[in-house]
Amino acid sequence: MKVAAKLEHINEQILEACRTVNRKPDEIKVIAVTKYVSTERAMEAVEAGILNLGENRDEGLLKKWEVLGDKPKWHFIGTLQTRKVKNIIDKVEYIHSLDRLSLAEEINKRAVKPVKCLVQVNISEEESKHGLTPEEAIEFIIQLQPLKNIRVEGLMTMAPFTDDENVLRNSFRGLRQLRDQIMELQLDYAPCTELSMGMSNDFAIAIEEGATMVRIGTALVGEDG
Ligand SMILES: *Cc1c(COP(=O)(O)O)cnc(C)c1O
């Protein structure tokens, strides 16, 4: 199926989720996660009007960047090795996976201007998941204060791998509550307004729970049917 057709379907679902909770659709950024697909498919997504693309590896991002440049805004959504920061730092609009001080220090050192970052939280505290626990996230954000090139725009999480709507909803709600707690600290370098949560299978629930960025791969750019 064409990306344009898939986008239309996703947009309908976003509208419906917004209607359910009285939100405005323009509060939500749709990030097309292109990590599984070709550069051509990513280009098709941009031509369909998608403004934000997400990649989880530096190789994938650089390969597509060669062709697409900064026509779309790039979001780095995967585990970022410290030594790879220099490869992507001048190409990305947001880094969604800030999860440790050594990484923050490297971003701070390599950047020529403040970088929009999201702190990755393991809200369900699953062993297998990356990210900080809620308690760690608060302490971590406080530690970032001296790093002038780090701006904490918000939080990111990956929900547990389940179809249980209550479990998903509770995770997203937990991230929003943590975000609100951090906002209350009123740190000038950490406005923390963004919530990056929700993927192909759970983005509607995430939007109902306050997502401002949804990261959609398979359902939006997947090349299968
Ligand atoms: C792959 C990936 C996504 C998108 O996953 P889909 O289920 O294909 O929508 C979103 N976020 C992150 C961090 C990912 O790695």
Side-chain angles (χ1 to χ4, degrees), residues 117-219:
C117 297
L118 305 173
V119 170
Q120 186 168 353
V121 181
N122 179 0
I123 199 76
S124 54
E125 301 194 31
E126 282 180 299
E127 286 290 342
S128 60
K129 285 265 178 344
H130 289 285
L132 302 168
T133 67
E135 293 74 25
E136 288 168 345
I138 293 177
E139 272 186 39
F140 174 62
I141 290 170
I142 290 171
Q143 284 177 349
L144 297 175
Q145 194 267 331
L147 306 183
K148 297 301 170 213
N149 282 334
I150 302 284
R151 247 183 101 76
V152 180
E153 297 289 349
L155 304 178
M156 180 273 229
T157 201
M158 288 176 81
F161 190 71
T162 175
D163 286 333
D164 186 330
E165 196 182 311
N166 279 323
V167 172
L168 294 168
R169 201 174 282 286
N170 283 332
S171 300
F172 296 139
R173 197 167 288 175
L175 195 73
R176 187 184 66 206
Q177 286 165 349
L178 180 63
R179 190 270 315 263
D180 293 346
Q181 233 177 308
I182 295 163
M183 280 174 83
E184 280 172 22
L185 301 176
Q186 300 195 322
L187 304 167
D188 56 353
Y189 61 94
C192 210
T193 51
E194 305 286 346
L195 280 174
S196 168
M197 57 189 197
M199 319 200 318
S200 288
N201 293 325
D202 53 20
F203 70 88
I205 301 170
I207 289 170
E208 289 174 12
E209 296 300 332
T212 63
M213 297 175 170
V214 289
R215 310 177 309 266
I216 310 179
T218 322

Side-chain angles (χ1 to χ4, degrees), residues 33-168:
V33 176
T34 50
K35 66 185 186 198
Y36 306 118
V37 303
S38 64
T39 303
E40 290 67 34
R41 187 71 164 171
M43 195 183 302
E44 188 193 330
V46 173
E47 279 161 8
I50 293 169
L51 307 172
N52 295 277
L53 299 188
E55 282 283 333
N56 68 339
R57 305 199 48 184
D58 71 322
E59 294 91 340
L61 190 143
L62 293 171
K63 193 162 161 247
K64 292 186 175 81
W65 197 88
E66 289 290 314
V67 177
L68 296 171
D70 41 19
K71 217 188 283 177
K73 293 202 158 100
W74 294 96
H75 296 249
F76 195 87
I77 61 170
T79 307
L80 182 53
Q81 288 172 279
T82 306
R83 67 190 164 85
K84 299 205 162 161
V85 167
K86 60 178 183 303
N87 302 343
I88 60 142
I89 191 73
D90 58 344
K91 300 185 172 62
V92 296
E93 173 83 2
Y94 282 91
I95 295 173
H96 289 235
S97 45
L98 182 59
D99 62 355
R100 60 194 190 278
L101 196 56
S102 58
L103 177 60
E105 284 168 346
E106 178 68 7
I107 294 169
N108 187 59
K109 186 171 102 185
R110 299 282 177 181
V112 294
K113 59 173 201 289
V115 179
K116 295 175 185 173
C117 297
L118 305 173
V119 170
Q120 186 168 353
V121 181
N122 179 0
I123 199 76
S124 54
E125 301 194 31
E126 282 180 299
E127 286 290 342
S128 60
K129 285 265 178 344
H130 289 285
L132 302 168
T133 67
E135 293 74 25
E136 288 168 345
I138 293 177
E139 272 186 39
F140 174 62
I141 290 170
I142 290 171
Q143 284 177 349
L144 297 175
Q145 194 267 331
L147 306 183
K148 297 301 170 213
N149 282 334
I150 302 284
R151 247 183 101 76
V152 180
E153 297 289 349
L155 304 178
M156 180 273 229
T157 201
M158 288 176 81
F161 190 71
T162 175
D163 286 333
D164 186 330
E165 196 182 311
N166 279 323
V167 172
L168 294 168

Side-chain angles (χ1 to χ4, degrees), residues 11-28:
N11 279 338
E12 280 165 20
Q13 290 170 277
I14 291 175
L15 268 180
E16 185 165 320
C18 283
R19 215 176 288 131
T20 308
V21 290
N22 239 317
R23 293 187 64 195
K24 296 196 193 76
D26 64 5
E27 293 170 12
I28 294 138

